[in-house]
Amino acid sequence: MTDTGTLPTATTTTSTRRLRTGQLRTGIAADRDSGSVMSADELAGDLHGVAERRLRRVDQRYTSGRRAIVELLVSARHPVSISDIAEHLPDLPRSSAYRHLTDLQAAGLIRRVAASDEFTRFELAEDLTEHHHHLLCVNCGKVTDVTPPAGFEHQVAGAVSDLAAAQGFQPQSHRLDILGLCADCHER
Amino acid sequence: MTDTGTLPTATTTTSTRRLRTGQLRTGIAADRDSGSVMSADELAGDLHGVAERRLRRVDQRYTSGRRAIVELLVSARHPVSISDIAEHLPDLPRSSAYRHLTDLQAAGLIRRVAASDEFTRFELAEDLTEHHHHLLCVNCGKVTDVTPPAGFEHQVAGAVSDLAAAQGFQPQSHRLDILGLCADCHER
DNA sequence: TGTAGTCTGAGACTGAGTCTCAGTGCAAGC
DNA sequence: GCTTGCACTGAGACTCAGTCTCAGACTACA
Ligand SMILES: [Mn+2]
Ligand SMILES: [Mn+2]
Ligand SMILES: [Zn+2]
Ligand SMILES: [Zn+2]
């Protein structure tokens, strides 16, 4: 009932390798769009540098617990719930996990994802991955990422501006959720 | 902090006038689209008939408590929270209000709206109003309805089908939320 | 080293939302 | 009108995701 799909087993990579602190770009994803395919490792490497800097900006450290959560979000192929975290990081107390999630969000590294069930999910911030949307299964709660074509996103961006402007509303971002039945729940 | 905007004072209309049970159409909104403007009263009148029938379909009655909530949702110009209900229907116990909300949703009369804060809101089901989206203020939590032009909705519907099909996902509905600052929170 | 500030685990706490239960209301049939 | 079966209701206990507190541990930096 609370099956959120498979998740790669938590890689206990304790490699403390640290990258040279290049220019802080607002978006690793730019590299992807420009054609160069980053491996999971390269992305993760760069990501940890960004994470450390963004945390430091708010006088926070990139500790092992926080890093473990970030690595879990990187390796997961979909937004993760608190129970996913508990399952894959059993030695991380819940209170710490929740606090880390709050802190990581405050540092702009992760964001909350509202699913169709009662459980909040978390994923890397969009400027660390790429803008995308979600398929929400109304039966099992599973959340799947989907990336619409750029042309569609331009349409959406335009409509969002128009709708917001008409109400004196200052838009910051949008989210498009598609509700329905996932493949598993469908064939039943 | 939890100010959700103004709401018309709860009309204690106890008129038990009941409409002839015309054909049950799947969508009062059709009347609107076809040009005829329904007054709030006409809409409400028709609506109560639909409400009664849909509840009866699941062996439930359209009682005064449930009707009071429906009327509040009709008169409100935006999705209402449980505290809105408590404020405008002070004699309705919370446990009953929650139960009514659950029952009304099960009967397909209302739907939940996820805001940017922790509080769930409720509004009439889309086939009783019209398909629309929401502006979510990330500062005060206010939720405002917005209706995009039909052309845009067609674009969205097409993209939704494509995205879902690629994943074996069976789409039922979608929601587009625009996050940002409302007019009040903006000028600050 | 010393010190100031951050981090952490344990567990108490909060509060939106659910559940239980005993009593009440409501319709349909006799 | 009375009976009988359900649905409805209020009160309050309960659940549990998420937050807060606090004392001790850790880190950065001088
Ligand atoms: Mn989008
Ligand atoms: Mn839409
Ligand atoms: Zn599913
Ligand atoms: Zn606001």
Side-chain angles (χ1 to χ4, degrees), chain B:
Chain B
M1 200 50 71
T2 323
D3 175 33
T4 40
T6 46
L7 212 54
T9 351
T11 48
T12 14
T13 323
T14 5
S15 74
T16 333
R17 162 176 67 98
R18 203 138 291 175
L19 307 181
R20 64 240 146 272
T21 354
Q23 283 293 72
L24 177 59
R25 279 160 301 130
T26 26
I28 291 179
D31 292 349
R32 283 187 166 174
D33 293 347
S34 59
S36 76
V37 181
M38 300 182 75
S39 73
D41 256 19
E42 287 173 326
L43 175 63
D46 230 332
L47 177 65
H48 293 313
V50 173
E52 188 171 4
R53 267 169 269 134
R54 289 198 189 170
L55 280 166
R56 195 169 289 170
R57 201 184 296 165
V58 286
D59 294 306
Q60 303 272 292
R61 302 176 198 140
Y62 193 36
T63 59
S64 63
R66 291 167 180 175
R67 184 180 181 115
I69 288 180
V70 169
E71 282 173 348
L72 184 58
L73 297 198
V74 170
S75 64
R77 288 267 158 254
H78 55 82
V80 306
S81 64
I82 189 68
S83 59
D84 290 333
I85 294 174
E87 181 183 343
H88 289 267
L89 301 171
D91 292 336
L92 184 65
R94 294 221 158 194
S95 60
S96 296
Y98 275 118
R99 185 172 31 212
H100 289 150
L101 291 168
T102 302
D103 295 341
L104 290 170
Q105 185 181 32
L109 289 166
I110 69 174
R111 71 165 176 177
R112 286 169 192 265
V113 175
S116 65
D117 58 19
E118 74 199 288
F119 304 107
T120 302
R121 268 93 168 162
F122 298 86
E123 66 180 8
L124 290 180
E126 282 198 329
D127 65 347
L128 299 177
T129 55
E130 66 182 331
H131 176 63
H132 64 275
H133 296 292
H134 296 120
L135 306 178
L136 310 182
C137 180
V138 297
N139 186 59
C140 70
K142 187 161 75 180
V143 180
T144 309
D145 293 338
V146 287
T147 303
F152 173 70
E153 276 303 326
H154 291 146
Q155 301 276 347
V156 173
V160 163
S161 298
D162 293 349
L163 292 171
Q167 310 279 333
F169 188 94
Q170 188 180 33
Q172 295 175 347
S173 64
H174 69 268
R175 65 182 183 210
L176 173 64
D177 297 327
I178 303 174
L179 301 147
L181 294 174
C182 73
D184 290 347
C185 294
H186 182 198
E187 56 188 36
R188 158 126 320 288

Side-chain angles (χ1 to χ4, degrees), chain A residues 92-139:
Chain A
L92 184 64
R94 294 222 159 192
S95 61
S96 296
Y98 274 118
R99 184 172 33 213
H100 290 151
L101 291 169
T102 302
D103 294 343
L104 290 170
Q105 185 181 31
L109 289 165
I110 70 175
R111 71 166 176 177
R112 285 169 192 266
V113 175
S116 66
D117 58 19
E118 72 198 292
F119 303 109
T120 301
R121 268 92 169 163
F122 297 87
E123 66 181 9
L124 291 180
E126 282 197 329
D127 65 347
L128 299 177
T129 55
E130 66 182 331
H131 176 63
H132 64 275
H133 297 292
H134 296 119
L135 305 179
L136 311 181
C137 180
V138 297
N139 186 59

